Amino acid sequence: MTDAPKIALITGASRGLGAALAEALALTHHVIAVARTTGALEELDDRIQAAGGSATLAPMDITDPNAMATLCRGIHDRWGKLDLWLHTAIHAAPLTPANFVDPKDWNKSLAINTTATSILIPYVAPLLGHEGQAVFFDDPKAGEKFYGTYGATKGAQMALARSWAAETVKTGPRVTIVEPAPMPTAVRARFHPGEDREALASVSDEAAKIVANL
């Protein structure tokens, strides 16, 4: 009889750091990969399978509470638990002065960066139990010029994660906040067009470092 596999949930797994983390973790975990882009998830699955790993694809919108409830109920019914949750999903609104914030960009950023996190934590926490680990990724831009929408909504996400981390020190799950090195992701390209991407950290190398320290 083989041991039950470790299960890792990655929200925002289709591209960038989320995809790289999925590939790195698939060496030791069964990965549940959540993102809206089905094609990118299928490409991720191909890479994971080619490396000898396994994944379950969940093409879902993290801003849909019913979808997230269905996802977590499905995880409970199939595996009964999660060992790890990495939350990489993010929306990068265009840089703009605070007095030109676009309502659509603000609402989308709030939904993805902040509200979805407040929905997911209560759903995922019971699956992690006392022994699991949740990982969030900081990108501290709050208060920087032109980052009003992104900085505010990402900062709110981090405030929620830090509160959860403080609340679970003695009870678990372990809540970790990581600040990755600058990487040549689509999010960074939106904020820094024309930047020398060769000087940035490799996404796969950064993912490997993060996984090694979990």
Side-chain angles (χ1 to χ4, degrees), residues 34-36 58-65 67-68 112:
V34 180
R36 288 180 299 174
M60 292 178 163
D61 183 350
I62 65 165
T63 68
D64 182 342
M68 293 302 95
I112 295 173

Side-chain angles (χ1 to χ4, degrees), residues 45-189:
D45 189 40
D46 289 343
R47 297 194 300 273
I48 287 174
Q49 289 192 45
S54 66
T56 297
L57 306 184
M60 292 178 163
D61 183 350
I62 65 165
T63 68
D64 182 342
N66 291 330
M68 293 302 95
T70 299
L71 170 71
C72 291
R73 178 56 189 262
I75 293 170
H76 176 270
D77 290 348
R78 184 169 178 182
W79 294 286
K81 57 137 190 180
L82 280 173
D83 297 285
L84 191 59
W85 170 37
L86 299 100
H87 185 49
T88 65
I90 197 71
H91 176 64
L95 299 182
T96 182
N99 58 320
F100 287 95
V101 167
D102 180 80
K104 288 184 179 179
D105 285 331
W106 175 266
N107 289 334
K108 186 174 182 179
S109 298
L110 189 64
I112 295 173
N113 300 347
T114 306
T115 305
T117 306
S118 74
I119 293 167
L120 279 161
I121 289 174
Y123 285 151
V124 174
L127 296 169
L128 292 172
H130 302 300
E131 304 298 327
Q133 181 179 6
V135 185
F136 296 88
F137 300 89
D138 200 2
D139 184 17
K141 299 295 184 184
E144 291 191 19
K145 61 182 181 181
F146 309 126
Y147 278 96
T149 298
Y150 177 80
T153 55
K154 181 65 175 175
Q157 180 194 87
M158 288 297 98
L160 184 57
R162 287 191 172 93
S163 289
W164 191 26
E167 293 154 5
T168 57
V169 168
K170 294 183 179 180
T171 63
R174 185 155 64 98
V175 179
T176 306
I177 296 171
V178 178
E179 186 176 336
M183 298 168 288
T185 61
V187 169
R188 186 170 179 87

